[in-house]
Amino acid sequence: EDKVVQSPLSLVVHEGDTVTLNCSYEVTNFRSLLWYKQEKKAPTFLFMLTSSGIEKKSGRLSSILDKKELFSILNITATQTGDSAIYLCATITNSGYALNFGKGTSLLVTP
Amino acid sequence: NAGVTQTPKFQVLKTGQSMTLQCAQDMNHNSMYWYRQDPGMGLRLIYYSASEGTTDKGEVPNGYNVSRLNKREFSLRLESAAPSQTSVYFCASRRDLNTEAFFGQGTRLTVV
């Protein structure tokens, strides 16, 4: 059975801190890993990672995939209160069409 | 540019009632999905449709049925609602295996 495990499940930091969110996976026929941010409503796409060791970056957010150790991290530098959200990790396989999600990390950034 | 549209946004049902959640996408995507989200559980796949004319069960299909009406529309039906189906339901669509999924705004369903 495929597994996607995120840690920590919740996190509280102060504005300006740097945070690292983790996503490990055990997936048969792995293709890609995706990160989403979910505020009040729909998850919004952040990154798709397919190749190992190549960092994806968007502003203060960055992510990298390690296909040998089967994990990905999402870094957020200089956090702001607007970064408060649930961050979801999902995997895609070559043999299926579904995205398999982890349980998410709930991040709260306090002023 | 609507993206993925779900209706209704909120619904309260009595146990045993039936209803259909509607989803439509205007991005000409091939695959469509229904997920449910419960506190602390992430997003769990109910059913998906890899392409028009096909549907498959996901992780938690019991108590649900789906119809891929055409390429744009994918509906989720609860035939006899149960309190355990109280949840937030998300529809999503995706062009192909190399692209991300786009989500609708969700339907908050309460079964009393």
Side-chain angles (χ1 to χ4, degrees):
Chain A
E1 182 183 330
D2 292 347
K3 290 182 184 177
V4 179
V5 179
Q6 293 187 244
S7 63
L9 291 180
S10 65
L11 189 58
V12 181
V13 301
H14 293 295
E15 260 190 324
D17 287 351
T18 293
V19 299
T20 298
L21 310 183
N22 301 288
C23 178
S24 64
Y25 61 91
E26 293 177 29
V27 172
T28 303
N29 208 6
F30 173 86
R31 184 182 185 91
S32 302
L33 185 143
L34 293 86
W35 284 98
Y36 284 83
K37 178 182 181 182
Q38 184 179 24
E39 296 176 84
K40 296 293 185 184
K41 294 188 177 177
T44 54
F45 172 73
L46 293 174
F47 300 113
M48 176 184 275
L49 302 150
T50 303
S51 300
S52 200
I54 298 176
E55 185 182 52
K56 293 276 184 93
K57 197 170 172 63
S58 176
R60 297 176 294 101
L61 278 67
S62 64
S63 184
I64 197 160
L65 176 69
D66 187 328
K67 291 171 77 172
K68 183 179 176 186
E69 299 298 329
L70 308 182
F71 76 92
S72 174
I73 59 171
L74 176 68
N75 277 323
I76 309 174
T77 59
T79 52
Q80 302 171 357
T81 55
D83 295 325
S84 296
I86 297 173
Y87 290 85
L88 296 161
C89 164
T91 57
I92 299 174
T93 68
N94 285 313
S95 55
Y97 287 85
L99 281 74
N100 186 22
F101 283 86
K103 294 185 177 181
T105 293
S106 178
L107 173 66
L108 177 64
V109 182
T110 60
Chain B
N1 194 6
V4 180
T5 302
Q6 290 182 234
T7 55
K9 290 186 170 53
F10 301 94
Q11 183 72 48
V12 179
L13 288 179
K14 292 182 179 177
T15 298
Q17 286 185 317
S18 63
M19 80 160 295
T20 300
L21 279 64
Q22 307 286 354
C23 175
Q25 52 91 9
D26 62 2
M27 296 174 283
N28 201 34
H29 285 175
N30 292 308
S31 304
M32 296 186 73
Y33 308 83
W34 277 105
Y35 287 89
R36 61 177 287 175
Q37 187 173 36
D38 303 294
M41 297 295 290
L43 288 163
R44 292 185 294 169
L45 182 66
I46 305 171
Y47 271 93
Y48 68 98
S49 171
S51 60
E52 187 179 356
T54 68
T55 60
D56 283 286
K57 294 178 181 179
E59 180 187 354
V60 289
N62 291 344
Y64 305 95
N65 285 300
V66 290
S67 295
R68 183 75 182 266
L69 304 168
N70 47 55
K71 192 170 186 179
R72 289 187 66 247
E73 298 172 288
F74 188 39
S75 62
L76 178 72
R77 182 159 178 85
L78 287 71
E79 289 291 351
S80 179
S84 60
Q85 294 178 305
T86 294
S87 188
V88 180
Y89 292 84
F90 286 101
C91 177
S93 70
R94 185 157 70 113
R95 190 184 72 215
D96 57 44
L97 287 177
N98 295 315
T99 58
E100 73 272 26
F102 292 81
F103 285 80
Q105 291 300 301
T107 296
R108 184 172 293 277
L109 175 67
T110 302
V111 183
V112 297

